[in-house]
Amino acid sequence: MSVKGTLKISASLMCADLRHLEDQLRQMEAAGLDWLHFDIMDGHFVPNFTFGPHFVQQVNAMSDLPCDVHLMVEHPDQYIPVFIEAGADIVVVHQEACTHLNRTLQLIRREGASPGVALNPATSLQTLDYVLDDVDLVLIMTVNPGFAGQKLVPATLDKIAHAYERLAETARDIDLQVDGNVSPENARKMCAAGANVLVAGSASVFRPGAAIAEATAELRRAAREGAASRGG
Ligand code: DX5
Ligand code: ZN
């Protein structure tokens, strides 16, 4: 069993109410959220823009929670050092954006952060075969990256289960993260399939009208039920 067992919830800041950032951060901490998830978009790899390293640095100065930086950018090697300098603890790059993925993952490790690799819904799990020694986290995208508030791509549920089986064969502990429409209902299925790190956005923790603490507790409960149904 080589998927890290512990359930972790990573709060997606692009879905938070940024008009009240400090207050939202205190609520996330009080709710027991584990990581802060930064969706970094460059208008090329995905058709949208979000935050740069300055935002990561400012948020990092306001909270002790680990910074989980999801780079949806082309040429990630150019930006990895500056995001780590800004406070990124975990840096996740897209397989599809890396010509020399092995080199990029080594760069993240050498610069002092924990490397992860993300796969779009249509990208085969086989692309992971030769990098599993170099990552601490695998991210299975459950929507096409670029926007919050999308519907789950159904085929990704089987993909999570297959990724779990693949990671279980490895000697190292690797987190299995999911990102996109992680509602409580979907989280139950995702954790039943083997996911242990959930990115919580507008489908759960930042659902309009719901309090962060209650929405987090509901998501955690659903995730635990899902993991228990697998025996995990
Ligand atoms: C999508 C982003 C996600 C997004 C998830 O490109 O990577 O992190 O914020 O949020 P919801 O819950 O809206 O799918
Ligand atoms: Zn993300």
Side-chain angles (χ1 to χ4, degrees), residues 12 14-15 37 39 41 70 72 141 143-150 179-182 199 201-203:
S12 176
M14 74 177 281
C15 300
H37 184 84
D39 285 305
M41 304 186 186
H70 177 193
M72 285 162 275
M141 289 303 301
V143 299
N144 289 297
F147 301 94
Q150 303 182 81
D179 187 3
N181 197 14
V182 184
V199 176
S202 66

Side-chain angles (χ1 to χ4, degrees), residues 200-212:
S202 66
S204 59
V205 165
F206 300 110
R207 203 167 56 222
I212 291 176

Side-chain angles (χ1 to χ4, degrees), residues 93-136:
V93 291
H94 269 263
Q95 183 274 338
E96 303 85 357
C98 297
T99 310
H100 303 288
L101 181 57
N102 175 274
R103 180 182 287 155
T104 302
L105 296 168
Q106 288 184 37
L107 172 66
I108 297 169
R109 181 90 70 200
R110 196 167 62 241
E111 292 288 322
S114 188
V117 63
L119 300 185
N120 282 336
T123 304
S124 170
L125 286 174
Q126 285 174 353
T127 59
L128 295 177
D129 276 353
Y130 305 103
V131 295
L132 290 179
D133 286 344
D134 305 302
V135 294
D136 295 336

Side-chain angles (χ1 to χ4, degrees), residues 51-100:
F51 316 122
H54 185 60
F55 180 73
V56 174
Q57 186 233 314
Q58 287 189 314
V59 173
N60 187 45
M62 285 192 266
S63 174
D64 289 336
L65 291 179
C67 295
D68 161 29
V69 173
H70 177 193
L71 290 182
M72 285 162 275
V73 303
E74 288 179 2
H75 310 298
D77 296 33
Q78 291 178 18
Y79 307 105
I80 285 164
V82 76
F83 277 101
I84 294 175
E85 178 70 18
D89 298 286
I90 301 136
V91 176
V92 180
V93 291
H94 269 263
Q95 183 274 338
E96 303 85 357
C98 297
T99 310
H100 303 288

